Amino acid sequence: MSSHDRALPGEPDEPAAESGPATDRPDPSPTVDLDVDLSSHELLRRAHVLDALGPDWDPVAALRGEEAAYELLYSGLSADQQRVYDELVSAGVLPRRGGGDAAA
């Protein structure tokens, strides 16, 4: 047997062709089931976010402000901008917003 024909550590010394069927050998890379429960970490993350927002944060007011900003963003468009906007709305890319009556 030459140095290139030697078996690796933990393998039988006989060549693979002479060994039994593949089912006779143990799986060379067994898998391990790993379950990680991140629910406690998620609760801690949410607590930190709410702490950072502070006691005066009003989620309903924040959503109303965001909606008002979108209404202004899509109002006062030029004819070309309105055409592109309408195409994007009809394609389902953007939701219909704004009445077009707010100041530009």
Side-chain angles (χ1 to χ4, degrees), residues 17-41:
E18 296 176 20
S19 67
T23 57
D24 291 346
R25 299 180 77 182
D27 185 6
S29 57
T31 59
V32 177
D33 290 337
L34 180 63
D35 294 328
V36 179
D37 183 9
L38 296 176
S39 55
S40 63
H41 183 274

Side-chain angles (χ1 to χ4, degrees), residues 51-101:
D51 212 22
L53 290 171
D56 298 330
W57 179 67
D58 181 3
V60 175
L63 287 174
R64 284 186 187 136
E66 186 175 320
E67 287 298 317
Y70 276 117
E71 295 293 327
L72 285 173
L73 178 64
Y74 294 115
S75 66
L77 301 176
S78 71
D80 191 43
Q81 291 169 329
Q82 187 66 49
R83 181 189 54 75
V84 171
Y85 172 76
D86 290 337
E87 288 175 8
L88 291 172
V89 168
S90 63
V93 175
L94 291 175
R96 169 68 58 193
R97 293 184 185 269
D101 55 0

